[in-house]
Amino acid sequence: MATNIGIMDSAYFVGRNEILSWINNRLQLNLSRIEEAASGAVQCQMMDVTHQGVVPMHKVNFDAKTEYDKIQNYKVLQEVFNKLKIEKHIEVSRLVKGRPLDNLEFLQWLKRYCDSVNGGIMNENYNPVERRIKVGKDRNLKCSIKKSKSLQTDIVNNSGSDNTFASNRTSGANPPFRSSGVAGGANSSAEIQSLSKEITGLKLAVEVLEKERDFYFAKLRDIEIICQTPEVENIAITIAIKKILYANDTKESALEDAQDYLNQAMNAVEAQDYHGQIIDANEAEAEIEADSQN
């Protein structure tokens, strides 16, 4: 299974449109942006589709908005990974930020994994909408119970304060403060404009990063194609380059491993050449001695 895939794996060349189509078709959703899946709920249900009965869907919050709620979803996902012995570390701190590139890479990996299980064939009896509705009903029921208890507590605590409010009203006391709708509206408008500019700047930065990523990926792909050419694929320098390309993680020793292999190969060639020179010298000496005897 695709638990560990390198940076040059075909999974990381799957575009965002294909990822979104895969999610929407399987889960009957209507996502239009990658960052809409940043809550972790989509990932949990994808694992629920792939391994039915393994994911505790009652713990998944499809309405997660805060980072805290999103983190809880990823905790559920990490527990599922641990249960299935999937050696994949989830960068939760990055994913919950909703950055498109981080979420795209994780979803690319997830698609590669799900496609490797049973050939990516989905159980026809699985109803993703029904699963979400059932989880939503259970969650809403729990929330309503909590709210009702909280309301009862507030009624008891505020029963005394109502009398105080009534006495203040009859005595003609002025309210402690007055809201200014005009000032509030102006501040809100300025804040919205500021946030809109920030969002626009972030989108431009993301586009630049994605273009840069695609550029370097294309370069690496060209190098990989050359390294796979039959005439050169078994050459020492080619093997050393592939050791770096196919490293499973970002460990610093990938370059050191490649350099060590290259040095060993060069030393072996030098030793072979030296051995060959000795043989040639011995053969030449034997020929000279034979000629002298004749």
Side-chain angles (χ1 to χ4, degrees):
M1 293 184 183
T3 54
N4 288 318
I5 58 177
I7 190 174
M8 293 306 297
D9 191 276
S10 59
Y12 292 114
F13 292 93
V14 178
R16 66 179 62 194
N17 291 333
E18 184 175 347
I19 292 292
L20 289 172
S21 178
W22 173 66
I23 294 173
N24 291 334
N25 290 337
R26 281 208 166 189
L27 303 184
Q28 298 182 26
L29 293 171
N30 190 27
L31 304 185
S32 59
R33 297 179 300 168
I34 290 294
E35 52 268 36
E36 291 179 37
S39 70
V42 166
Q43 292 83 338
C44 287
Q45 191 167 16
M46 276 298 180
M47 292 301 294
D48 186 55
V49 175
T50 307
H51 299 282
Q52 294 186 39
V54 176
V55 182
M57 291 295 290
H58 63 281
K59 295 183 179 180
V60 180
N61 185 356
F62 285 89
D63 297 323
K65 297 294 188 296
T66 65
E67 285 194 11
Y68 174 81
D69 290 335
K70 295 176 183 178
I71 290 172
Q72 301 310 307
N73 284 341
Y74 283 110
K75 283 184 178 179
V76 173
L77 186 62
Q78 187 67 68
E79 290 175 359
V80 172
F81 282 6
N82 295 338
K83 186 184 300 183
L84 296 172
K85 297 182 179 179
I86 299 175
E87 296 179 359
K88 174 64 176 177
H89 176 66
I90 304 175
E91 297 287 348
V92 179
S93 59
R94 293 185 178 183
L95 295 173
V96 296
K97 299 295 183 183
R99 290 181 291 195
L101 182 58
D102 293 328
N103 282 273
L104 175 61
E105 289 182 354
F106 185 70
L107 289 169
Q108 286 170 333
W109 176 90
L110 184 64
K111 184 179 187 303
R112 178 72 174 85
Y113 173 80
C114 293
D115 288 346
S116 71
V117 179
N118 299 326
I121 299 174
M122 180 177 172
N123 188 344
E124 296 180 356
N125 297 325
Y126 185 87
N127 189 328
V129 177
E130 183 178 328
R131 289 284 284 168
R132 288 196 298 275
I133 292 175
K134 182 178 180 181
V135 172
K137 285 181 178 179
D138 292 342
R139 186 173 296 278
N140 291 335
L141 178 61
K142 292 178 181 178
C143 290
S144 63
I145 293 174
K146 290 181 180 179
K147 286 181 180 179
S148 63
K149 290 182 178 179
S150 177
L151 181 61
Q152 291 175 359
T153 304
D154 290 342
I155 292 173
V156 172
N157 292 337
N158 294 331
S159 59
S161 62
D162 291 339
N163 296 330
T164 305
F165 174 75
S167 61
N168 289 337
R169 184 173 58 183
T170 55
S171 61
N174 292 325
F177 63 89
R178 292 183 179 180
S179 60
S180 177
V182 177
N187 292 335
S188 298
S189 178
E191 186 177 357
I192 290 172
Q193 290 180 357
S194 176
L195 291 173
S196 298
K197 290 181 180 179
E198 185 177 354
I199 291 172
T200 302
L202 290 173
K203 286 183 178 179
L204 292 174
V206 168
E207 290 178 1
V208 171
L209 289 173
E210 289 179 347
K211 288 181 180 178
E212 186 176 358
R213 181 203 63 181
D214 294 341
F215 173 78
Y216 286 112
F217 268 23
K219 293 290 184 185
L220 291 171
R221 178 57 179 160
D222 292 341
I223 294 172
E224 183 184 39
I225 292 173
I226 292 175
C227 290
Q228 292 174 345
T229 305
E231 292 79 6
V232 299
E233 63 177 348
N234 294 321
I235 297 176
I237 185 65
T238 303
I239 295 174
I241 292 173
K242 287 194 289 186
K243 282 182 176 292
I244 298 174
L245 284 178
Y246 298 141
N248 289 332
D249 51 29
T250 56
K251 61 180 182 179
E252 297 178 358
S253 61
L255 178 59
E256 295 178 1
D257 292 344
Q259 289 175 334
D260 289 342
Y261 174 82
L262 195 58
N263 290 333
Q264 292 175 7
M266 292 177 65
N267 291 335
V269 171
E270 290 177 358
Q272 187 176 3
D273 290 343
Y274 178 73
H275 183 66
Q277 291 175 2
I278 293 176
I279 294 175
D280 292 341
N282 291 336
E283 291 178 352
E285 185 177 356
E287 290 179 359
I288 294 171
E289 185 176 354
D291 291 341
S292 62
Q293 290 178 356
N294 294 332

